[in-house]
Amino acid sequence: DSTFGIIGASEPMQDVFKTIAKVKTTNATVLITGESGTGKELVARALHYSTGVQTPFVPVNCGGIPDTLLESELFGYVKGAFTGANETRAGFFQTADGGTIFLDEIGNTSLSMQAKLLRVLQEKEFYMIGSKKPQKVNVRVVAATNVDLKELVKKGLFREDLYYRLNEFEITIPPLRDRMEDLEPFINFFIRETNHDLNKNITGVNPALLK
């Protein structure tokens, strides 16, 4: 019932698995779309780890970091770049060098940050805060969003050029209500977890309850 650690035997999920298998060995950027809770980070991890190559996977929740801090978190800074910068510190892009950086909630980034991300994708380089020397980086970018980026583009809130750069491949994860045949595998998974955690021996659920 599980592929790459993701539960789903339904046809929509089989399409997701086929796309993962197709793009996992490429360097193409991938945009993962779907509602909150559908498992976008699981798919990003599957893209990265299914290659079998041991390289860094660095997840970044762009919606959970204030925009004023996001630049220093992503690109790092040099000593003395601002008050409190007592040492040079690498950012997430340096940490992910040679591997994958997963930019979750990409739709929450500001237009100025989007311009900097576009430069990384186009030039494979960025500037640490306080440095005039570009840093080269070899990173595969996987982004995710639970909002419609095309709508944000129309409203002028998201750069169209960045949208197309991120969307070389798109993987859309359907919500569980659109693949109800996956409900029973999910229930069985949680029963197995509960049996293990609570030392129980529950074998399944009543068919009437499942219905």
Side-chain angles (χ1 to χ4, degrees), residues 108-201:
N108 287 1
T109 54
S110 67
L111 288 168
S112 62
M113 176 53 64
Q114 291 167 31
K116 294 180 174 73
L117 290 172
L118 182 65
R119 178 181 176 83
V120 179
L121 288 168
Q122 287 179 331
E123 309 296 336
K124 306 294 185 190
E125 66 179 28
F126 61 90
Y127 289 90
M128 297 177 75
I129 296 177
S131 173
K132 294 180 180 177
K133 181 181 176 185
Q135 297 264 321
K136 285 287 183 186
V137 69
N138 177 27
V139 168
R140 197 230 187 115
V141 175
V142 178
T145 178
N146 58 7
V147 297
D148 188 340
L149 291 186
K150 284 187 232 176
E151 282 301 311
L152 292 185
V153 168
K154 285 180 189 173
K155 293 175 182 175
L157 299 174
F158 201 86
R159 292 180 64 114
E160 187 174 24
D161 46 6
L162 178 60
Y163 170 70
Y164 286 113
R165 277 279 177 177
L166 291 171
N167 196 14
E168 292 179 345
F169 279 95
E170 182 173 350
I171 298 177
T172 300
I173 310 174
L176 186 57
R177 65 179 175 274
D178 291 344
R179 49 184 180 105
M180 289 301 285
E181 59 267 52
D182 288 334
L183 181 60
E184 189 170 7
F186 266 102
I187 290 172
N188 292 333
F189 170 79
F190 290 126
I191 287 174
R192 287 195 300 271
E193 275 204 331
T194 303
N195 282 340
H196 179 268
D197 293 345
L198 302 182
N199 198 26
K200 298 286 185 181
N201 192 30

Side-chain angles (χ1 to χ4, degrees), residues 23-38:
V23 303
K24 67 182 183 181
T25 55
T26 74
N27 258 342
T29 56
V30 178
L31 181 64
I32 304 170
T33 59
E35 296 175 18
S36 292
T38 47

